[in-house]
Amino acid sequence: MEILEAHHISKNYGGVRALKDVTFTAYRGKVNVLVGENGAGKSTLMKILSGSEQPTSGEILLDGEPVHLGSPRDAQARGIGIIHQELSLFPNLSIAENMFAGRELRRGKRFVDSASQRRRTAEVLKRLGQDLDPNTPVGDLPIGQQQLVEIGRALLEDVRVLIMDEPTSALSNHEVDVLFEVMADLREHDVTVIYISHKLDEFRRIGDWVTVFRDGSLVAHESMSRTDTAWIVREMVGRDPDSLYVRNSSPVGEILLQVRGLTVPGPARPLVDDVSLTVRAGEVVGIYGLMGAGRTELVETLMGMRKAATGEVLIKNQAEPKGTVQARMAAGLALVPEDRQRDGLVQSMSVRDNILLATVGRMTRGGLLDGGAEQRTARSKVGELAIKIPGLAVLVTSLSGGNQQKVVLARALLTEPVVLLLDEPTRGIDVGAKAQIAALMADLAAQGFGVLFISSELAEVIAMADRALVMARGRITAEFSSADVTEEALVTASASDSVLEAGS
Amino acid sequence: MTDTHVAPPKSPAAPPEPNPEGNRALAKAALWLLRGRTLVVLVVLVVIFSAISSEYLTQSNLILMTKHVAINAILAIGVTFVILTGGIDLSVGSIAGLASMVCGGLLFTGLAVPGGHLFFSVAVVILIGIVVGALVGAVNGVLVTRFRVAPFIATLGMLYVARGVAQLISDGGTFPDLAGTPARGNQGFHLIGVDSWLGIPVAVWIMIVVAAAAIVVTTKTPFGRRVYAVGGNERAAVLSGIRVNRIKIAVYVISGACAALAGLLLTSELGAAYPDTATTYELNAIAAAVLGGTALAGGRGTIVGTVMGAFVIGFLSDGLVLIGVSTFWQSVVKGAVIVFAVVTEQAQQRLQSSLSKRTA
């Protein structure tokens, strides 16, 4: 039965049509999954359904009645809640204070009823399976738990329709399980869930209906049981999914990166604990692990952004003892960071300036920047990586996630690395762009680069890595060749405390 | 049942569109006006004041006002470098005062050495003054980077320290005569602050040279690009191999050197060195940068904008004096204009980001 319907919704931004005559139906008490590449229009539609954007034309029906959702408050009053992709929490405030931010429980007229807030927060946390003190500052929580706090905030309200925009992108497998239990529970209580996701293997577990968007249009709408992954991917990208991941098949050459006994101290236990690994020319090595396993810390240390207490890093058989970003970069390492917005992009700069940021020192003639050389270099990388941009001078923030990622990758490649480190290179980007990034990685290996990438997606590690390492609690706990890697083995090793013995 | 839910039917007629191209052109025009708002404000000021007073738009008054602008503009250019990296420099007024006293002392009493006093030529004295400013800036930079002191605090501390040292140099007194003598070979300090060349004060020429150099550095050199990157996203700058600490120290050095130069121009103009020279000038300098569109959060702003901002502040102040507005009201008007500038800056940002989103 329909609860929320969008009829012939179009949305124009200036001359750009973000939504083209979309008619969408969300079914009551079901999990309605929305998929589509970035920029396909899912998020725009959700903004309209949650009141933060107004459609250019078309109407919205709630329980069959036309409604006007003029603001998020309007939508909330009608029981439509939304959890955004980006966290909107206050890191300096406690979990309880965050949950009730802006709608504090009162005692009398002016005083906050902290005790009741804490009690209700504890209830919600219990429902989410989190054993946390409501007084904990949110900033102290790992990002996955922060996401759950965000979800808990929505649960506090009496929602009839809950829109979730990629809530799992930062969650560990266990946290995703918890979230799915919560979603199943909501469904039991006749709450309608609209769920945007990029993770095909995940949403198939929970979704009842799937709606596919492409280029601002709704291209398919189907009961989940009648679809399979291949069908969904085909509808999303308009082509066959077999081409999604390209496996590297180049011959393996000399050792380009050798790490011996790298240890980075942390507050409780070492963040990186006695890690040794090698990456050879022409090889794609994947590191799988859960959130907080020390994977990001490992590559940040390799790149010189963190100091190692002990251990050696050899690049092309040359020890690089300085451990500064400049020295590691000069020796041939380049890192594409996990969090593009925080570590990758200068948001106030153009696409061109972002691409050239690391190598701008070479773009000079007589000490001054050579605009022609800059333009040529940036343009050639844009072409090489097939970055879709309206122009080199536009702000980098106006690009889609996949294209922003390619900008960061282009910058890394311009430093002429021998080993490329990629931390979650496909996070938050759509299937088509994922395939392109995967193809680029294989292509780079074929050109003789060493590629070391981190991923939380099993399918990605299995499909792309010639060799898969697993990290847990700062240590490398397992190593698999592409021939004998399985999802089960990766998951088991990622939860393990045991250390891979040399030679095993 | 699925049949009813497959792809939506095409609507027979295209939905009405409220002429998006026209709106866009309007928005672009508005954005263009907002970007050039400092210039617009300047033109409006000149029109208003020349309507009220016939003396405002005379050659001699324009030259006089521009000379006043020059000193603040040079201070503001230095401060702009710091603000572009996301920092702030509150010590520039005190650095100007310190440089003034160092040079005043060298010209008036000379450097005390065993057996007498040593005097230097004016060029050397000016150079020493600028080096002193640069060194004080370097201390600011080291405090901010190596010792991780917040820029506001580090330079606030320096505001007091540098001013105190300036007073210590003369024990609070004034160096009243900087003309020098032929015997000491140190005549000619009046050249930079009093003299003119081709009918334009030397101070204004110096401002033009400093501004031109700063424009080239910010827009045409890798260093300038890195300054913007550090202010735009420091973490991304680090990961791009930019030596962020060096960039930060460099901008404080530039700011200190500019402050010292401005202090010397002021001293030359006054013909005497007072320990409280350029007190609170840091606020005028920061105001000029902000008026010119420099974002205090860093990463955004231009030297041209800052110079424009300095012109607005200078032409406004002098105009108010000329038409006989009391100093109290001058202060009110100046403050209101600065806040108004930031309000329009916000409007510009909003419009700009909504326009660029639409092209995505």
Side-chain angles (χ1 to χ4, degrees):
Chain A
M1 203 171 76
E2 303 83 8
I3 176 163
L4 185 61
E5 293 165 272
H7 272 195
H8 302 296
I9 297 277
S10 291
K11 176 72 183 174
N12 301 330
Y13 290 108
V16 180
R17 300 190 71 184
L19 281 178
K20 299 168 192 163
D21 193 27
V22 166
T23 295
F24 166 75
T25 307
Y27 297 100
R28 178 180 221 128
K30 302 288 181 203
V31 174
N32 303 268
V33 176
L34 261 62
V35 294
E37 304 198 343
N38 281 336
K42 316 170 298 257
S43 292
T44 307
L45 181 61
M46 291 308 107
K47 280 180 190 158
I48 289 170
L49 292 181
S50 60
S52 57
E53 296 259 6
Q54 303 306 312
T56 307
S57 64
E59 63 175 353
I60 299 166
L61 279 69
L62 187 64
D63 296 320
E65 299 288 318
V67 288
H68 175 71
L69 304 173
S71 70
R73 216 167 257 276
D74 263 7
Q76 253 170 34
R78 295 176 188 277
I80 303 171
I82 184 162
I83 296 164
H84 290 283
Q85 192 174 356
E86 273 95 33
L87 293 170
S88 48
L89 298 170
F90 307 98
N92 53 328
L93 300 183
S94 74
I95 298 175
E97 285 163 338
N98 266 284
M99 290 237 179
F100 289 94
R103 50 195 163 124
E104 288 79 7
L105 299 179
R106 305 287 168 90
R107 191 171 45 201
K109 264 199 165 150
R110 305 196 183 281
F111 298 101
V112 174
D113 184 356
S114 301
S116 301
Q117 288 194 171
R118 279 197 296 273
R119 202 181 55 245
R120 294 217 21 213
T121 302
E123 286 165 17
V124 170
L125 288 173
K126 202 173 157 202
R127 189 169 168 193
L128 290 167
Q130 299 301 306
D131 182 24
L132 289 169
D133 181 350
N135 288 324
T136 316
V138 160
D140 290 354
L141 301 177
I143 193 126
Q145 285 184 332
Q146 292 189 18
Q147 185 73 272
L148 289 173
V149 170
E150 182 97 40
I151 290 163
R153 195 155 76 169
L155 293 183
L156 277 175
E157 307 213 356
D158 252 344
V159 287
R160 298 173 63 206
V161 179
L162 182 59
I163 300 169
M164 298 187 180
D165 194 350
E166 285 203 69
T168 66
S169 56
L171 301 190
S172 71
N173 283 345
H174 171 67
E175 289 161 341
V176 171
D177 289 343
V178 170
L179 175 65
F180 281 7
E181 278 167 32
V182 171
M183 284 165 75
D185 179 56
L186 288 170
R187 184 161 54 183
E188 291 285 293
H189 290 85
D190 209 28
V191 173
T192 306
V193 176
I194 301 176
Y195 180 54
I196 298 183
S197 178
H198 279 125
K199 297 190 175 171
L200 299 164
D201 46 343
E202 264 180 27
F203 68 67
R204 293 197 52 79
R205 278 164 54 198
I206 188 79
D208 300 306
W209 287 87
V210 58
T211 306
V212 185
F213 282 77
R214 190 168 72 219
D215 295 334
S217 298
L218 192 158
V219 293
H221 181 80
E222 188 57 272
S223 165
M224 189 70 84
S225 57
R226 295 186 180 207
T227 68
D228 57 23
T229 306
W231 179 86
I232 292 169
V233 173
R234 219 163 31 234
E235 292 293 343
M236 277 169 74
V237 299
R239 63 187 161 84
D240 210 79
D242 285 346
S243 59
L244 189 54
Y245 292 115
V246 184
R247 175 170 290 286
N248 164 46
S249 55
S250 48
V252 170
E254 55 165 339
I255 293 178
L256 293 180
L257 172 67
Q258 179 153 33
V259 180
R260 289 187 195 138
L262 199 70
T263 298
V264 179
R269 55 175 173 77
L271 295 170
V272 176
D273 195 353
D274 194 23
V275 165
S276 300
L277 59 85
T278 58
V279 178
R280 290 170 178 274
E283 190 180 34
V284 177
V285 178
I287 302 182
Y288 178 77
L290 302 179
M291 201 66 67
R295 302 168 302 168
T296 295
E297 289 79 2
L298 171 63
V299 288
E300 284 183 355
T301 310
L302 291 179
M303 200 61 226
M305 297 173 77
R306 291 170 182 270
K307 285 270 167 277
T310 56
E312 256 193 317
V313 175
L314 288 84
I315 297 147
K316 285 174 107 178
N317 279 324
Q318 294 272 307
E320 201 302 298
K322 275 206 228 152
T324 61
V325 177
Q326 294 79 27
R328 291 285 155 87
M329 196 176 270
L333 295 185
L335 171 64
V336 175
E338 174 183 18
D339 190 333
R340 282 189 293 282
Q341 301 305 332
R342 197 185 57 165
D343 299 326
L345 301 168
V346 181
Q347 287 83 357
S348 52
M349 282 187 161
S350 68
V351 170
R352 186 198 63 180
D353 291 355
N354 267 286
I355 290 176
L356 299 174
L357 193 57
T359 45
V360 72
R362 296 183 207 157
M363 302 286 145
T364 56
R365 199 162 49 184
L368 297 185
L369 288 172
D370 179 351
E374 286 188 279
Q375 201 75 5
R376 275 193 304 280
T377 311
R379 193 176 293 143
S380 83
K381 278 292 163 209
V382 164
E384 211 173 290
L385 302 183
I387 309 178
K388 267 199 262 174
I389 51 168
L392 285 169
V394 301
L395 280 181
V396 76
T397 44
S398 65
L399 305 185
S400 70
N403 284 308
Q404 290 186 1
Q405 183 70 307
K406 287 186 190 173
V407 166
V408 180
L409 184 58
R411 178 200 301 157
L413 289 176
L414 276 174
T415 66
E416 295 168 3
V418 294
V419 176
L420 198 59
L421 313 170
L422 302 114
D423 193 351
E424 299 277 11
T426 64
R427 162 161 299 170
I429 65 179
D430 59 63
V431 172
K434 264 184 196 184
Q436 289 178 21
I437 299 275
L440 280 170
M441 285 162 62
D443 188 44
L444 290 168
Q447 289 172 38
F449 289 91
V451 177
L452 181 68
F453 77 100
I454 290 174
S455 179
S456 300
E457 286 187 45
L458 293 163
E460 201 168 279
V461 174
I462 291 173
M464 285 162 59
D466 299 324
R467 208 146 49 80
L469 306 174
V470 182
M471 271 188 92
R473 297 174 68 87
R475 302 170 178 216
I476 292 191
T477 53
E479 176 168 350
F480 304 99
S481 73
S482 61
D484 53 37
V485 64
T486 63
E487 298 200 0
E488 292 71 32
L490 288 175
V491 171
T492 310
S494 70
S496 134
D497 281 337
S498 64
V499 183
L500 177 72
E501 296 302 326
S504 68
Chain B
M1 65 170 237
T2 42
D3 292 356
T4 54
H5 304 300
V6 193
K10 291 268 181 288
S11 64
E17 287 178 23
N19 185 18
E21 290 309 316
N23 285 343
R24 196 176 164 75
L26 201 66
K28 276 199 165 164
L31 186 60
W32 187 82
L33 260 184
L34 281 172
R35 279 204 182 120
R37 66 182 174 280
T38 327
L39 185 62
V40 174
V41 171
L42 187 60
V43 170
V44 170
L45 283 181
V46 170
V47 169
I48 291 175
F49 283 124
S50 41
I52 297 173
S53 163
S54 57
E55 280 167 48
Y56 191 76
L57 206 59
T58 58
Q59 193 187 353
S60 62
N61 189 49
L62 280 179
I63 287 175
L64 183 71
M65 290 196 300
T66 307
K67 192 174 161 188
H68 292 161
V69 167
I71 288 166
N72 187 32
I74 291 169
L75 280 167
I77 287 168
V79 169
T80 300
F81 276 91
V82 175
I83 298 178
L84 281 176
T85 65
I88 191 84
D89 193 345
L90 298 176
S91 64
V92 290
S94 295
I95 293 176
L98 176 62
S100 168
M101 289 309 285
V102 167
C103 294
L106 288 175
L107 289 169
F108 186 70
T109 52
L111 185 66
V113 286
H117 286 86
L118 197 58
F119 290 92
F120 304 99
S121 73
V122 166
V124 172
V125 167
I126 289 172
L127 194 66
I128 291 173
I130 291 172
V131 168
V132 166
L135 285 176
V136 177
V139 173
N140 280 334
V142 169
L143 286 172
V144 168
T145 54
R146 301 263 177 266
F147 296 97
R148 295 174 186 280
V149 182
F152 189 96
I153 303 299
T155 59
L156 180 65
M158 189 56 80
L159 178 151
Y160 290 109
V161 172
R163 184 65 68 189
V165 173
Q167 281 157 341
L168 283 171
I169 287 175
S170 64
D171 203 16
T174 301
F175 296 119
D177 177 14
L178 308 179
T181 64
R184 294 168 176 171
N186 61 354
Q187 283 178 300
F189 188 63
H190 58 85
L191 183 126
I192 57 170
V194 181
D195 287 5
S196 289
W197 183 56
L198 302 178
I200 291 173
V202 173
V204 174
W205 286 113
I206 292 176
M207 172 191 76
I208 291 169
V209 170
V210 170
I215 288 168
V216 169
V217 168
T218 50
T219 62
K220 299 282 180 213
T221 66
F223 171 77
R225 191 68 59 75
R226 289 171 186 148
V227 166
Y228 282 91
V230 168
N233 185 347
E234 190 171 331
R235 293 182 62 99
V238 169
L239 187 57
S240 297
I242 293 171
R243 291 176 162 90
V244 170
N245 284 357
R246 282 194 200 179
I247 301 286
K248 284 190 179 172
I249 292 173
V251 294
Y252 286 98
V253 167
I254 291 171
S255 181
C258 286
L261 177 59
L264 297 186
L265 294 181
L266 191 56
T267 309
S268 169
E269 188 186 328
L270 298 172
Y274 306 91
D276 55 356
T277 297
T279 302
T280 73
Y281 274 35
E282 59 278 351
L283 298 181
N284 274 334
I286 293 167
V290 171
L291 255 176
T294 309
L296 285 178
R300 260 197 325 259
T302 60
I303 298 297
V304 174
T306 293
V307 173
M308 290 286 195
F311 268 94
V312 169
I313 288 180
F315 278 31
L316 179 65
S317 304
D318 286 2
L320 291 171
V321 173
L322 196 70
I323 63 171
V325 172
S326 81
T327 49
F328 309 132
W329 276 110
Q330 287 175 33
S331 186
V332 170
V333 172
K334 210 155 84 178
V337 166
I338 290 164
V339 174
F340 175 74
V342 178
V343 171
T344 56
E345 155 87 20
Q346 293 302 322
Q348 180 191 334
Q349 287 308 323
R350 272 200 302 277
L351 197 58
Q352 207 160 333
S353 74
S354 80
L355 272 180
S356 77
K357 271 205 192 93
R358 288 167 195 195
T359 57

